[in-house]
């Protein structure tokens, strides 16, 4: 028997999966561990596809720098850093413009979940170290940092979870890999508080129609909810039910 596939059918079948075999709404393999560093107040380790990220949290502790002190709340500081060996071409050590930007938006994404009013004149430090990078490190860092903050016993209204959606080859997909990010038409990182789906981070790089934007936002939120389940499992594994 001869089966004839029309060009439209071939295009539909070829777009059912991506180059790495994932469906458009599928995230990369994800692993999260809580409390892996003994000397930090809280810590976590995350693997998402080829990303490997380590997070350490210290505090709350009294802010030694007077200008950082707030009489009514604690201050959260984040330091996002990519190791020189985290990418194919050796990265120059130390902060660059991108890492400074991601450090700032990470703190802003995490702040709405924390009950900082309980610790006036204090500071909470979050250190995010990217050991290996393969696209989507800012979302992975935010997700891992939230687990580390929970591990540190920080009072929180909810976890913060982040995931990106984007446009590749004219279609909306979830959790872009590094290659998809490089050649894609758009990328949209999103962070939310899962309980009420409050958005704490929303960025968009590229061109999307209104319909594509809404589709990407909806897909990113669904991805966040999937990842949140694994966040909870990581904490349950350490502390039990």
């Amino acid at each position: 028997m001869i089966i004839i596939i029309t060009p439209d059918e071939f295009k539909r079948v070829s777009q059912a999966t991506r180059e790495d075999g994932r469906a458009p709404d599928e995230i990369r393999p994800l692993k999260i561990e809580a409390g892996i560093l003994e000397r930090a107040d809280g810590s976590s380790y995350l693997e998402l596809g080829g990303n490997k990220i380590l997070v350490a949290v210290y505090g709350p502790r009294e802010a030694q720098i007077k200008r950082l002190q707030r009489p009514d709340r604690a201050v959260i500081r984040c330091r996002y850093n990519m190791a020189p060996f985290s990418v194919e071409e050796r990265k120059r050590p130390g902060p660059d413009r991108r890492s400074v930007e991601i450090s700032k938006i990470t703190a802003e994404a995490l702040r709405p979940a924390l009950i900082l009013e309980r610790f006036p004149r204090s500071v909470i430090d979050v250190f995010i170290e990217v050991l290996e990078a393969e696209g989507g490190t800012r979302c992975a860092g935010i997700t891992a940092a939230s687990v580390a903050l929970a591990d540190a016993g920080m009072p929180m209204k909810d976890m913060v979870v982040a995931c990106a959606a984007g446009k590749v080859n004219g279609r909306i997909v979830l959790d872009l890999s590094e290659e998809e990010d490089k050649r894609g038409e758009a990328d949209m990182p999103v962070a939310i508080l899962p309980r009420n789906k409050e958005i704490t981070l929303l960025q968009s790089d590229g061109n999307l129609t209104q319909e594509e934007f809404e589709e990407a936002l909806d897909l990113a939120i669904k991805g966040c909810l999937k990842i949140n389940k694994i966040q909870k499992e990581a904490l349950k594994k350490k502390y039990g039910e």
Side-chain angles (χ1 to χ4, degrees):
M1 183 175 69
I2 299 176
I3 299 176
I4 300 175
I5 299 178
T6 66
D8 289 341
E9 289 175 331
F10 178 81
K11 183 178 179 181
R12 178 179 57 81
V13 172
S14 64
Q15 290 186 347
T17 57
R18 292 141 79 177
E19 289 184 2
D20 57 7
R22 288 186 291 148
D25 62 348
E26 186 178 355
I27 64 172
R28 288 168 287 179
L30 175 60
K31 169 188 174 183
I32 303 177
E33 294 183 40
I36 66 167
L37 298 177
E38 292 184 3
R39 298 184 180 179
D41 295 318
S43 61
S44 68
Y45 174 73
L46 178 148
E47 291 184 5
L48 176 64
N51 291 317
K52 296 181 180 179
I53 295 177
L54 183 66
V55 179
V57 170
Y58 296 89
R61 53 191 175 185
E62 184 179 357
Q64 300 299 318
I65 303 174
K66 294 293 184 181
R67 63 182 175 80
L68 290 179
Q69 292 184 355
R70 298 292 183 272
D72 57 342
R73 66 185 186 277
V75 172
I76 179 171
R77 299 186 298 187
C78 292
R79 179 181 180 271
Y80 167 99
N81 180 63
M82 295 184 71
F85 50 80
S86 64
V87 289
E88 290 184 5
E89 294 186 7
R90 181 180 180 275
K91 178 185 177 296
R92 184 176 179 178
D96 54 22
R97 183 177 297 179
R98 179 176 179 273
S99 63
V100 171
E101 176 213 347
I102 294 179
S103 298
K104 183 177 184 295
I105 66 170
T106 297
E108 292 174 351
L110 294 170
R111 191 176 293 116
L114 302 172
I115 306 176
L116 299 174
E117 295 79 9
R118 293 190 183 181
F119 307 102
R121 302 182 185 279
S122 300
V123 63
I124 302 160
D125 286 308
V126 180
F127 296 92
I128 302 169
E129 294 292 323
V130 180
L131 306 179
E132 288 188 18
E134 198 256 325
T137 56
R138 75 182 63 196
C139 288
I142 291 169
T143 297
S146 182
V147 174
L149 286 163
D151 180 54
M154 279 297 303
M156 303 172 71
K157 302 171 186 175
D158 198 356
M159 302 286 286
V160 181
V161 57
C163 189
K167 184 180 177 182
V168 181
N169 294 330
R171 58 178 174 160
I172 303 301
V173 298
L174 182 66
D175 183 28
L176 280 67
S177 67
E178 184 175 18
E179 286 302 314
E180 289 176 326
D181 189 24
K182 286 180 180 178
R183 60 181 176 80
E185 298 100 274
D187 179 36
M188 181 192 292
V190 177
I192 66 168
L193 303 179
R195 191 174 303 161
N196 60 9
K197 298 181 182 178
E198 176 186 343
I199 295 174
T200 65
L201 168 68
L202 175 58
Q203 295 182 297
S204 183
D205 180 20
N207 296 318
L208 294 168
T209 66
Q210 181 175 342
E211 292 77 13
E212 289 171 336
F213 177 88
E214 293 173 356
E215 182 183 354
L217 179 59
D218 182 62
L219 189 59
I221 290 174
K222 289 179 180 177
C224 287
L225 297 178
K226 292 178 183 178
I227 295 172
N228 180 238
K229 294 179 181 179
I230 301 174
Q231 284 180 313
K232 293 177 180 178
E233 289 172 3
L235 293 167
K236 287 179 180 179
K237 185 175 181 180
K238 180 181 178 184
Y239 294 104
E241 299 292 339

